[in-house]
Amino acid sequence: MTFSLRFRAALLSLLILAAFLGVWHLATRGTGTAATMSPEYAKLMGLTATAGKSAMPGPLDVGAKLWEHLRNPFYDNGPNDKGLGIQLAYSIARVGIGYLLAVLVAIPLGFLIGMSPLMSRALDPFIQVLKPISPLAWMPLALYTIKDSGLSAIFVIFICAIWPMLLNTAFGVAAVRKEWINVARTLEVGHLRRAFTVILPAAAPTILTGMRISIGIAWLVIVAAEMLVGGTGIGYFVWNEWNNLSITNVIIAILMIGVVGMILDQILAQCTRLVTFPE
Amino acid sequence: MSTFDNPFDPARRLRSGCPCGQHASAEEHDAAMQLACAAPQDEAKRYEGVVASAVMRAVFPKEIQRRAFLKSVGASAALGVLSQFFPIKMATEVFAQGAGKLEKTDLKVGFIPITCATPIIMADPLGFYQKQGLKVDVVKTAGWAVIRDKTINKEYDAAHMLAPMPIAISLGLGSTPIPYTVPAIENINGQGITLAMKHKDRRDPKDWKGFKLAVPFDYSMHNYLLRYYLAEHGIDPDTDIQIRSVPPPEMVANLRADNIDGFLAPDNICQRAIYDGVGFMHLLSKEIWDGHPCCSFAASREFITTSPNSFAALTRAIVDATAYASKPENRKSIAEAIAPAAYLNAPPVVLEQVLTGTYADGLGNIKVDPKRVEFDPFPWQSFAVWMMTQMQRWGQIKGDVDYKGVAEQIYLAADTGKVMKEMGLTPPASAYKSFQVMGKTFDPEKPKEYLASFKIKKAT
């Protein structure tokens, strides 16, 4: 009886999931006792108050609600009520735009910093100060100066996605082996050609690692930004359901945020594998 | 009672005994002036009546001739004859849409999901905006500070705000000073003090020292009413207890988690805490001040000057919706219309309890109070004066205030009165009225004396 490692791991994963769901189900089964009250009064009260139902939904409630959302993810009932799919699409679009802008700025700038020790030292203090600022700390400033909440959210994605890419690009470029550059130099390769044919491929795995960290951060930030700005997006969805004290929907949103974050990360991981070369 | 008395009535008296000439006696005149928003009949009929009256008056400017004509042919025949050569039906439609061309027909209005926003919200599903030729997106917004910033940014053309917020914004409290206005009050009453279940035997505020209570925003009626209530019971709200600013949905969660002892919050939040079994209703805010304003409909002065006709149409839609919401028989259908996820996103049974006033109090009793929440759009300037006295009392405004000057700049009683009159409603004659807060009479002519009369206030 020998199974492959992969099979055994999958089995264990399923076991852990089943145990988790089981404990969750038992814990939220409704421990309180039903309160005694007149039927007219009970009609005005919620299940938590009348039937002693737990305020926390069980896995079956969440599952049923999730199915309801997944069956119709793209409905649109006006500006404040859209399907889960549309909300996720808005968030992904915002992250995509902010992230692309960050790529456009971070990679050339990272190249510059990596290739020029002078620039590296001159820009270092700014990067060090700006890097640790929490993205949400930018939000009020962005709202006040940009005067557009949609653009502000994109700006916040941009500003937080830029640093890991910038630092990793600079590091990757600076760490390209001197021999390779010297070989290029003896072959009298021009500056631009050297950058594209020697340095870029050599630094690419490090650059993509930076991009992978960045997309993770961007996806973390969008939820908080949309909760603040409101309107559309998965963050707004969480806020709206929190407003309704619907923990079931909040849990579904958390699950969705996790799944989409994982997919985004896996896409970039795949890209990293494509550009990695054995030495 | 209507501003537009019926000129088709041959028995109408030519000279009446009241100062404005619209009422039979001085008493009747006073009674009518007290009614800020006389309940209209069927909307279409009302407009038609207004237009027909105007035509009739134009054809026969002299009342004696008009009466003779009516007597000889009868009122309905007269209307028939008139509509032969004047298209009354079409004129009514034109009138309903307002006279001037709308500068802007696509508008955005922000709101916070609480029952105070009822007229703003219901005007969308029930078609009040459409009737004025407007296409309005009502946008749910995450909090009072965000709604302030988004209206200042001009993302919103107008917004739902707490009644003191436009005053605070205009005076530059908590933001850069920008001239703001209140063309209509959204709701009166409709708040409550909810306490955690464990305090159900500690109902006397004198025992509340050390409590942690929550209100939704610093510049809110909730804050001023809670402070007033506590101070009247000898509790200094700045030193004896802690008042925190907490967004409404978090209030219920915090109450459940035992982080706070209670809150004075907008409704559907109070009722939600009861519905979920985490709190009980200590008292309704109307028991502190019956008829207090709570939320307002606000627009920047700039919007009024750049789009005066759109602004007027918007105000008409809100006044119209508020008049509709003021009728108890409409409340149940309103609760259903505003409950979905696009609007309040709350269980309809909770909203129904708030709007109809038949509610569970959390202690096992069903209470009935049809005036739990009411709707009356008229922006009394004396309300603004009262709010400024409280802003001074709690140290939000330092130094002297030109009470009436500020109130008249921000609370647009004259403009709203004009709109109400156009719609065949009866606005009050004066924008200042006296009222009582916890048994103490407030005289809008003497705000300074009122302020000086409080024992507990912030020493400044």
Side-chain angles (χ1 to χ4, degrees):
Chain A
M1 282 264 291
T2 45
F3 292 111
S4 71
L5 180 66
R6 177 183 278 216
F7 181 75
R8 280 180 294 155
L11 200 67
L12 194 57
S13 292
L14 278 178
L15 265 177
I16 293 171
L17 181 68
F20 171 70
L21 290 177
V23 171
W24 181 9
H25 178 69
L26 290 177
T28 55
R29 222 172 21 155
T31 44
T33 45
T36 47
M37 48 180 82
S38 70
E40 293 97 75
Y41 187 79
K43 240 187 266 168
L44 302 176
M45 302 290 281
L47 285 176
T48 346
T50 51
K53 193 177 181 301
S54 167
M56 184 77 187
L60 293 176
D61 302 327
V62 174
K65 197 86 192 162
L66 182 63
W67 176 237
E68 211 176 287
H69 279 297
L70 291 182
R71 250 184 353 180
N72 188 8
F74 296 110
Y75 72 89
D76 187 349
N77 292 343
N80 306 309
D81 184 18
K82 296 183 202 303
L84 208 52
I86 296 187
Q87 304 285 24
L88 281 170
Y90 268 106
S91 297
I92 293 171
R94 282 196 188 116
V95 164
I97 297 171
Y99 182 75
L100 278 181
L101 288 174
V103 169
L104 289 180
V105 173
I107 294 189
L109 202 62
F111 248 83
L112 184 70
I113 293 171
M115 289 169 78
S116 149
L118 173 71
M119 287 308 280
S120 168
R121 287 194 177 211
L123 291 177
D124 190 56
F126 298 105
I127 296 174
Q128 296 305 332
V129 168
L130 291 173
K131 191 177 60 155
I133 296 173
S134 158
L136 281 189
W138 291 103
M139 201 70 208
L141 188 70
L143 265 179
Y144 198 82
T145 46
I146 301 176
K147 294 191 188 293
D148 182 295
S149 52
L151 283 181
S152 300
I154 291 170
F155 167 77
V156 169
I157 299 293
F158 166 80
I159 201 81
C160 71
I162 203 168
W163 311 116
M165 276 194 269
L166 185 65
L167 290 177
N168 268 30
T169 308
F171 171 76
V173 169
V176 174
R177 286 212 211 148
K178 285 284 160 297
E179 302 95 86
W180 297 349
I181 293 176
N182 288 340
V183 169
R185 204 168 274 154
T186 41
L187 294 172
E188 293 189 348
V189 175
H191 272 288
L192 211 58
R193 203 168 157 209
R194 190 168 77 212
F196 277 103
T197 53
V198 182
I199 299 176
L200 187 62
T206 329
I207 295 174
L208 270 158
T209 308
M211 288 172 71
R212 194 174 159 189
I213 299 171
S214 278
I215 196 89
I217 293 179
W219 190 246
L220 277 183
V221 168
I222 193 69
V223 174
E226 284 171 346
M227 276 179 114
L228 253 172
V229 172
T232 45
I234 191 74
Y236 166 77
F237 179 82
V238 173
W239 174 80
N240 194 18
E241 291 307 330
W242 171 225
N243 210 39
N244 185 21
L245 299 166
S246 166
I247 305 298
T248 318
N249 276 328
V250 171
I251 293 174
I252 288 170
I254 290 174
L255 201 65
M256 283 295 144
I257 292 166
V259 170
V260 173
M262 184 184 77
I263 293 171
L264 289 177
D265 188 68
Q266 286 306 309
I267 292 172
L268 278 160
Q270 206 58 45
C271 294
T272 316
R273 251 169 255 144
L274 285 178
V275 297
T276 309
F277 50 90
E279 275 188 40
Chain B
M1 294 255 271
S2 165
T3 311
F4 293 94
D5 55 344
N6 186 359
F8 289 98
D9 178 10
R12 188 174 162 275
R13 293 177 55 175
L14 293 185
R15 200 168 300 274
S16 48
C18 88
C20 72
Q22 310 278 5
H23 306 100
S25 68
E27 291 80 55
E28 201 180 306
H29 169 86
D30 289 343
M33 290 308 163
Q34 284 299 314
L35 277 178
C37 176
Q41 326 123 354
D42 175 45
E43 322 298 313
K45 255 225 171 89
R46 196 184 71 217
Y47 286 147
E48 210 176 294
V50 170
V51 173
S53 303
V55 173
M56 189 70 191
R57 285 208 170 93
V59 175
F60 298 102
K62 288 236 170 76
E63 273 198 72
I64 301 195
Q65 278 177 8
R66 189 158 76 222
R67 198 159 65 157
F69 173 67
L70 284 167
K71 268 202 171 138
S72 60
V73 301
S76 54
L79 190 60
V81 171
L82 273 186
S83 51
Q84 288 292 308
F85 52 89
F86 188 89
I88 287 183
K89 276 263 184 277
M90 202 181 91
T92 307
E93 270 159 39
V94 170
F95 173 77
Q97 306 264 318
K101 195 178 171 304
L102 300 178
E103 296 84 0
K104 216 176 156 186
T105 51
D106 286 18
L107 298 175
K108 265 195 172 172
V109 175
F111 74 93
I112 300 280
I114 48 179
T115 42
C116 301
T118 299
I120 294 179
I121 303 172
M122 61 176 260
D124 184 28
L126 300 182
F128 287 93
Y129 293 125
Q130 249 176 333
K131 200 157 85 187
Q132 301 297 338
L134 294 170
K135 196 185 156 294
V136 174
D137 265 350
V138 287
V139 188
K140 198 185 290 187
T141 312
W144 293 113
V146 179
I147 229 169
R148 177 196 63 203
D149 292 344
K150 282 193 166 185
T151 25
I152 289 177
N153 285 351
K154 297 188 197 120
E155 267 182 62
Y156 296 155
D157 298 288
H160 168 210
M161 285 191 186
L162 294 156
M165 268 174 77
I167 303 176
I169 295 173
S170 301
L171 295 177
L173 308 173
S175 70
T176 40
I178 291 168
Y180 254 72
T181 63
V182 174
I185 294 289
E186 279 301 291
N187 71 311
I188 55 181
N189 298 340
Q191 331 296 313
I193 298 183
T194 303
L195 294 181
M197 283 313 241
K198 65 174 178 184
H199 296 307
K200 66 170 183 257
D201 299 320
R202 285 171 80 183
R203 299 290 291 272
D204 189 348
K206 289 190 184 69
D207 305 334
W208 290 2
K209 273 196 183 165
F211 266 32
K212 281 176 265 180
L213 298 175
V215 294
F217 199 63
D218 283 347
Y219 304 101
S220 67
M221 287 302 293
H222 311 91
N223 190 15
Y224 304 144
L225 288 174
L226 180 62
R227 284 166 175 267
Y228 196 106
Y229 178 72
L230 294 167
E232 288 295 296
H233 285 94
I235 303 267
D236 186 330
D238 283 314
T239 54
D240 294 337
I241 63 161
Q242 211 188 83
I243 295 185
R244 295 181 184 170
S245 198
V246 177
E250 283 166 37
M251 286 178 177
V252 179
N254 272 309
L255 201 63
R256 193 198 296 277
D258 214 7
N259 267 345
I260 53 174
D261 297 283
F263 49 74
L264 197 157
D267 243 323
N268 79 318
I269 298 300
C270 292
Q271 199 59 46
R272 185 60 197 253
I274 295 167
Y275 177 82
D276 283 353
V278 297
F280 68 92
M281 186 68 88
H282 170 65
L283 93 176
L284 296 176
S285 60
K286 78 180 269 279
E287 295 169 52
I288 301 174
W289 167 3
D290 192 6
H292 73 79
C294 176
C295 287
S296 66
F297 181 67
S300 68
R301 178 116 347 236
E302 196 190 327
F303 175 62
I304 302 180
T305 44
T306 51
S307 317
N309 293 334
S310 297
F311 169 76
L314 197 55
T315 309
R316 270 200 300 276
I318 295 289
V319 169
D320 213 4
T322 315
Y324 183 81
S326 71
K327 282 190 260 177
E329 66 268 24
N330 296 333
R331 297 282 177 84
K332 223 171 178 158
S333 60
I334 293 173
E336 261 162 54
I338 63 177
Y343 303 114
L344 290 191
N345 198 18
V349 62
V350 170
L351 298 182
E352 227 171 77
Q353 291 182 64
V354 173
L355 291 174
T356 61
T358 302
Y359 64 96
D361 69 348
L363 298 171
N365 313 308
I366 297 178
K367 294 211 169 164
V368 180
D369 190 342
K371 296 188 160 200
R372 177 174 177 174
V373 58
E374 290 190 277
F375 300 94
D376 174 355
F378 191 72
W380 293 95
Q381 285 160 350
S382 49
F383 287 171
V385 174
W386 186 86
M387 287 172 216
M388 281 182 270
T389 63
Q390 301 304 303
M391 287 174 168
Q392 278 183 306
R393 181 180 181 186
W394 305 116
Q396 290 179 336
I397 303 181
K398 310 263 189 289
D400 277 338
V401 184
D402 170 15
Y403 298 100
K404 283 200 163 178
V406 174
E408 277 153 31
Q409 280 288 313
I410 300 169
Y411 275 53
L412 303 178
D415 302 59
T416 309
K418 213 175 94 199
V419 167
M420 287 171 75
K421 229 175 234 170
E422 278 172 22
M423 300 176 66
L425 298 168
T426 315
S430 149
Y432 292 90
K433 71 167 173 186
S434 175
F435 43 80
Q436 286 196 337
V437 186
M438 292 185 79
K440 186 172 184 162
T441 306
F442 170 68
D443 180 355
E445 299 302 322
K446 294 177 182 145
K448 272 207 174 124
E449 289 83 338
Y450 183 71
L451 183 59
S453 71
F454 294 114
K455 252 187 271 154
I456 296 181
K457 57 184 154 195
K458 204 164 202 168
T460 41

